[in-house]
Amino acid sequence: KDAAREILERVEDRSDNRLGVEAMGLLEAYGIPMPDGEIVDAPEDARAVAERIDGDVVMKIVSPDILHKSDIGGVAVGVADDEVADTYETLITRARNYQPDANLLGVQVQEMADLDSGTETIVGMNRDPQFGPLMMFGLGGIFVEVLEDTTFRVAPVSETEAREMTEEIKTAPLLRGARGRDPADLDGIVETIQRLSQLVADFPAIMEFDINPLVATPDGVAAVDIRLTVD
Ligand code: ADP
Ligand code: MG
C-alpha cells in the first residue's frame, strides 16, 4: 500500500491528473500480474531491455497527453531486437507530430502477451455519483465497443460477485473455452477484479481505472495496459 501511495503522490505535483502505463507499479503493489517491461528514454536503453526480454517485444509511447496510444500509431507489436532502436525513434516522431508540446515520458518496452491463446478482457472502475465505485468487467479489444458486453458491481466486490461478473457477460462461453479453445484462467480474472477493487477502496482519489486489455490465457492473466484518473 505504501508503494502505491508513493506512486499516486507523485501525480499530485503534476498539472495533469491522468496516468497510463507509467503507473504500472500500482498493479505490482496489489499483486496484479503484468508482462515484463520497462519505460526507457533512449533508443539504446530500449534495445537493452528488449535483449533482456526473450523474443519480440511491444513498444508503446508513454505520455499523459496521449490517452489512446494506438490511435496515433503509438503501439508497435512484435518488434524484433534489431528493429527496436528505429522503432523507438518512429514512436517519438509520431508523438511529436501528433502533439508537438506533448509531455513524453519515454517508450515502454514490454514482453508480448500471448494473444493466440489469450482473450482480451477489461477490468475497470468508475465512481458513480449515486452508487459510488462501480467495478466493470467485459470483453476487451475491439469487442468492447462493438458488443457492449459489460457487467457492473458496486465495490468492494466479494469473490462470489467477481465470479458472477465473469459468468454473466454474453461472451462468457468464449472465456470458458467455446469452439475448441482452451478455457481462460477465470480464477486469475476473479482475483484481478478483487485486487483492483481493493486498490480503489484504499485510494478514494482514484476516480477511474481501466485495465484494458487484461489478457487472459489458459495459464494466467496479464495486465497489458492501464489508464487512470486521479482527483
Ligand atoms: P492503447 O489502448 O493506448 O491503444 P494498448 O497498450 O492497450 O494501447 O495497446 C493496444 C493494443 O495492442 C492492445 O489492445 C493489444 O491488442 C495490443 N498489445 C498491446 N500490448 C501488447 C502486449 N504486450 N502483447 C500483445 N499485444 C499487445
Ligand atoms: Mg489499451
Side-chain angles (χ1 to χ4, degrees):
K1 190 167 169 185
D2 288 345
R5 178 170 294 118
E6 233 171 79
I7 294 168
L8 290 168
E9 272 167 3
R10 265 184 268 150
V11 194
E12 284 171 6
D13 320 326
R14 311 195 336 190
S15 55
D16 200 309
N17 60 354
R18 288 163 302 174
L19 284 171
V21 293
E22 70 273 23
M24 293 287 257
L26 291 174
L27 301 184
E28 197 174 356
Y30 278 75
I32 297 173
M34 71 190 96
D36 190 3
E38 278 178 53
I39 296 170
V40 296
D41 58 10
E44 56 275 17
D45 296 341
R47 173 91 198 218
V49 175
E51 275 166 11
R52 182 176 62 70
I53 296 171
D54 214 24
D56 291 356
V57 293
V58 179
M59 295 175 67
K60 310 178 192 186
I61 201 75
V62 184
S63 166
D65 299 315
I66 301 171
L67 286 180
H68 300 279
K69 298 177 288 297
S70 34
D71 286 359
I72 67 138
V75 178
V77 179
V79 184
D81 278 359
D82 61 355
E83 302 165 340
V84 167
D86 284 349
T87 303
Y88 180 97
E89 305 289 6
T90 305
L91 293 176
I92 296 286
T93 304
R94 284 181 186 159
R96 287 258 171 263
N97 288 341
Y98 166 73
Q99 191 182 326
D101 63 347
N103 175 18
L104 300 185
L105 303 179
V107 168
Q108 185 190 39
V109 181
Q110 189 180 54
E111 182 189 0
M112 295 269 284
D114 181 4
L115 287 180
D116 290 333
S117 74
T119 306
E120 294 194 48
T121 67
I122 300 187
V123 176
M125 186 280 303
N126 246 296
R127 288 194 196 270
D128 183 274
Q130 196 178 346
F131 298 105
L134 282 183
M135 299 303 298
M136 186 266 267
F137 174 70
L139 226 55
I142 49 168
F143 294 113
V144 71
E145 285 105 34
V146 180
L147 302 176
E148 294 183 1
D149 192 14
T150 50
T151 181
F152 297 86
R153 285 286 186 291
V154 177
V157 295
S158 68
E159 187 184 338
T160 309
E161 288 173 308
R163 200 164 293 278
E164 283 167 6
M165 293 174 81
T166 66
E167 288 165 354
E168 70 196 13
I169 58 170
K170 285 176 263 173
T171 45
L174 222 95
L175 296 173
R176 284 199 295 266
R179 303 202 167 231
R181 287 170 64 91
D182 287 323
D185 175 21
L186 289 171
D187 293 345
I189 298 174
V190 167
E191 206 158 276
T192 301
I193 295 171
Q194 286 189 276
R195 286 173 189 259
L196 184 63
S197 167
Q198 186 61 54
L199 168 64
V200 301
D202 289 345
F203 296 98
I206 300 176
M207 301 308 287
E208 293 172 298
F209 202 121
D210 269 318
I211 304 175
N212 180 17
L214 177 79
V215 175
T217 69
D219 306 317
V221 296
V224 158
D225 184 34
I226 63 168
R227 184 156 35 242
L228 61 144
T229 312
V230 181
D231 195 12

